[in-house]
């Protein structure tokens, strides 16, 4: 099995002040941004733990940022694309400006 063209990028959600009184302060959630731009956010530091999916990192920031009281701190460095000759990696398909993993049918086509 081949490795994906790009791995997800991890981050922590750090809260300086808890507006709602639910999640507390400090590190309150871990997140992952996938090559497609989609984001998962796993709440880890309150009595109620959940995982949510967002379309992009901007949605996470606008919903949970509370005007700068909570910040996204990246664990992994930004992805630096490899030089290409105009083609996308074979395991990646670009649709409407977003990348997605190729299906088995696309691999055999």
């Amino acid at each position: 099995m081949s490795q994906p063209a790009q791995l997800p990028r991890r981050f922590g959600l750090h809260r300086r002040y808890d507006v709602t009184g639910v999640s507390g302060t400090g590190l309150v959630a871990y997140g992952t941004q996938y090559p497609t731009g989609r984001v998962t956010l796993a709440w880890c530091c309150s009595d109620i733990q959940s995982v949510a999916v967002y379309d992009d990192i901007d949605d996470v920031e606008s919903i949970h940022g509370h005007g700068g009281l909570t910040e996204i701190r990246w664990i992994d460095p930004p992805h630096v694309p490899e030089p290409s000759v105009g083609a996308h990696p074979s395991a990646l398909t670009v649709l409407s400006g977003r990348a997605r993993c190729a299906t088995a049918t696309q691999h055999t086509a």
Side-chain angles (χ1 to χ4, degrees), residues 15 17-25 27-28 43-50 64 66:
R15 187 157 281 161
Y17 180 79
D18 184 8
V19 175
T20 64
V22 175
S23 59
T25 58
L27 177 66
V28 294
W43 295 91
C44 59
C45 302
S46 71
D47 292 338
I48 301 170
Q49 296 183 9
S50 63
H64 300 293
H66 298 293

Side-chain angles (χ1 to χ4, degrees), residues 31-47:
T32 306
Q33 184 178 38
Y34 294 87
T36 61
R38 286 249 170 133
V39 174
T40 56
L41 190 62
W43 295 91
C44 59
C45 302
S46 71
D47 292 338

Side-chain angles (χ1 to χ4, degrees), residues 46-100:
S46 71
D47 292 338
I48 301 170
Q49 296 183 9
S50 63
V51 176
V53 179
Y54 301 86
D55 284 337
D56 56 43
I57 198 70
D58 293 335
D59 287 350
V60 173
E61 190 169 23
S62 66
I63 294 167
H64 300 293
H66 298 293
L69 297 175
T70 302
E71 67 180 339
I72 294 165
R73 295 185 187 169
W74 293 100
I75 296 167
D76 299 317
H79 173 70
V80 178
E82 294 180 20
S84 65
V85 253
H88 294 285
S90 61
L92 215 56
T93 303
V94 175
L95 299 174
S96 303
R98 291 187 184 248
R100 72 169 193 190

